[in-house]
Amino acid sequence: MKLLMKSVAFAAALGAATLASAQSWPVYGGDTGNQRYSQGNQITPANVSKLNVKWALQLGSNRSQESSPILVGDTLYVTSSFGPKNVFAVNAKTGEVRWKWSPEMPKGVEQYACCDVNSRGVSYSEGKIFVGRLDAKVTALDAKTGKEVWTSTVVDYTQGSVITSPPTIAKNVLITGFGGGEYGVRGALVALDQATGKEVWRTHTVPVGNEKNADTWKGDTGKTGGGAAWNVGSYDAKLNLVYYGTSNPGPWTAIVRGNDSSDIGKFTNLYTASVIALNPDTGNIVWHYQFTPHDAWDYDGVNELVLADLTIDGKQVPALMQANRNGFFYVIDRSNGKLISAKNFVPTNWATGIDLKTGMPIEAANNEKRPRLKKWAKDICPNLVGGKNWMPMSYNPDTGLVYIPTNNLCMDLEGVQEEYKRGQFFLGVNFDLDKPGPGGYLGGLKAWNPVTQKEAWFNKDDLPFNGGTMTTTTGLVFAGDIKGMFRAMDAKTGKELWKFNAGSGISAAPISYTLDGKQYIAVTSGRTQSMPAFFGKIGEKMIAASPEGGTLYVFSLN
């Protein structure tokens, strides 16, 4: 591996910023509840039109840049795609590279990365930067020097498991999952000691044998049951609970792991397509809620879980929110897992609603929208890419709204028999994903009220798979799109106030930080590459929307 030092004064510089400014974006989601809400107050609706590029950093790789930087002191830490190929520590004011770490990746590792060679960033704690890798390892780096402190193997990547998201920090451990729902892996969450990298606990997200809830699987199919927790987690320190969403069950065809109908019986396939709350000290599952029992659509439950205290029916509720790929927006009591409300936020027809008493989806009648063995289900909405994919939403406690990057696609699916082969796709379906949703648009940015479960405003887009969002205390929302256009909008109305052409599509969510009284906005650009291949003519339009790229842009006012 290679380490490049650019500044011998970096050790002193790391702690030079004030505590207040140093904590303006310390974790992936801005805070441990993934709100992506900035309290920076210098950039406002009145002056955002004067935003300009302050500096830019070439990330050293093209394609699928999904990293959100974090700020420690006056240093930004950001990753590139392909491994990551590079981890950078840069002066957050000037973009000067303080060090670069470039791990060596095994040849051919990309074949085990289902949906691209991305990296979503790093975590920080106690003087160390932690990064998950495509070879299913986690490395700790000295935050001052970039030197490797330890590297631990989480799982064998050749089974189809890569790590693309930063770990969750909780007390003295870091917690990570890994990918593989499309490869028939058995998902797990793993806690490592921050100081040594030694494994503290491992909790499988799919029970087998004599384990509790193993009977929700037909026979021993849980052994290849998926349920991978590959996206970011959330942490409530007061409740001492870590929250993760889990992926689809494997294979997609439902008859392998249970009944081949909407009458699923006991075969719910826990804990796939679910949110699980764990005690970070022990790894014990405290509660769970399953979004899509016996998932036959690849809807998953991995989207980020946003924590906020909401006033509902006159009472303050410790809420957990998710805009699920299945098209429904969920509000759950994060202290106990009780479902509070659920409402479709995009055109949805596979289910007519969610039963609030049982928490179960009310599926379309007569198995019309459930794909079965050798039986096509046609025009299922939303598409398996979801009403929302991994791109993060944000929550603004001032407006009371969440800002959701949405998709409007549908699909046809048919179940087929497929034999499990280690390290290869284990899907068991035929599909047609090249189907626009109703209304003449394919995506858009939607402001949603989680208390009333109603749309506040919606900016439609002619393409799907647009970027994550960030919102500010001054009433702004920032987001990019697959064409590479980066925008600032009025958080109350959605009116566009400023835009910048980043040159390549934007999937990542932006961040904001303040140093020495100056507020900055940062976002990475670099269009996705693998996903469009599944979408036929729509995918061709996605590819044509912008070239590949790899740049971190940082903006400030003149």
Side-chain angles (χ1 to χ4, degrees), residues 46 98 111 128 155 161 164 187 195 245 261 274 364 427 447 460 469 483 532:
R98 288 173 165 163
Q111 68 186 292
K128 289 186 282 294
V155 71
S161 294
T164 56
S261 75
S274 300
L427 305 182
K460 297 177 182 178
T469 69
K483 300 171 187 173

Side-chain angles (χ1 to χ4, degrees), residues 313-437:
D313 294 331
K315 297 179 180 179
Q316 191 174 68
V317 177
L320 173 153
M321 299 177 281
Q322 190 191 71
N324 194 276
R325 277 165 54 170
N326 70 12
F328 289 92
F329 190 96
Y330 293 83
V331 179
I332 296 170
D333 187 322
R334 69 177 182 270
S335 68
N336 55 27
K338 180 183 177 182
L339 178 65
I340 296 170
S341 65
K343 180 78 172 179
N344 66 295
F345 65 98
V346 294
T348 302
N349 64 18
W350 74 274
T352 59
I354 306 296
D355 187 319
L356 295 184
K357 291 183 179 180
T358 65
M360 296 285 287
I362 305 165
E363 287 192 38
N366 303 316
N367 295 300
E368 182 186 359
K369 300 300 181 182
R370 175 175 278 269
R372 291 176 287 163
L373 184 64
K374 298 181 180 180
K375 293 184 179 180
W376 283 91
K378 299 281 189 176
D379 299 315
I380 308 164
C381 307
N383 181 302
L384 59 80
V385 77
K388 175 190 172 299
N389 205 259
W390 71 266
M391 296 78 163
M393 67 181 184
S394 56
Y395 170 69
N396 190 316
D398 304 317
T399 64
L401 302 176
V402 291
Y403 302 95
I404 312 170
T406 68
N407 301 306
N408 183 33
L409 300 168
C410 301
M411 63 180 174
D412 299 341
L413 286 178
E414 176 198 31
V416 298
Q417 291 284 8
E418 185 167 347
E419 181 183 350
Y420 170 76
K421 294 180 181 179
R422 189 180 186 277
Q424 297 183 21
F425 270 174
F426 184 47
L427 305 182
V429 293
N430 292 319
F431 54 77
D432 180 2
L433 308 181
D434 188 12
K435 307 201 81 169

Side-chain angles (χ1 to χ4, degrees), residues 7-130:
S7 174
V8 295
F10 179 48
L14 186 64
T18 65
L19 180 63
S21 63
Q23 294 305 305
S24 59
W25 209 277
V27 295
Y28 173 83
D31 57 66
T32 60
N34 282 305
Q35 289 190 6
R36 293 194 165 272
Y37 169 72
S38 169
Q39 296 189 43
N41 58 15
Q42 187 179 73
I43 300 170
T44 71
N47 63 22
V48 69
S49 62
K50 299 177 182 178
L51 212 57
N52 282 294
V53 174
K54 178 69 174 178
W55 56 265
L57 173 71
Q58 298 304 316
L59 296 173
S61 68
N62 289 329
R63 172 171 162 180
S64 300
Q65 306 294 346
E66 299 184 2
S67 183
S68 282
I70 65 170
L71 181 76
V72 181
D74 66 348
T75 302
L76 276 185
Y77 298 89
V78 66
T79 58
S80 73
S81 57
F82 280 99
K85 182 179 180 181
N86 300 305
V87 179
F88 291 95
V90 299
N91 184 317
K93 297 179 184 178
T94 66
E96 176 192 8
V97 176
R98 288 173 165 163
W99 56 256
K100 180 180 73 169
W101 181 75
S102 304
E104 296 176 5
M105 286 292 117
K107 261 190 174 181
V109 67
E110 62 273 10
Q111 68 186 292
Y112 305 110
C114 142
C115 306
D116 230 323
V117 290
N118 45 283
S119 170
R120 296 186 185 89
V122 299
S123 303
Y124 171 84
S125 181
E126 299 296 328
K128 289 186 282 294
I129 292 294
F130 304 100

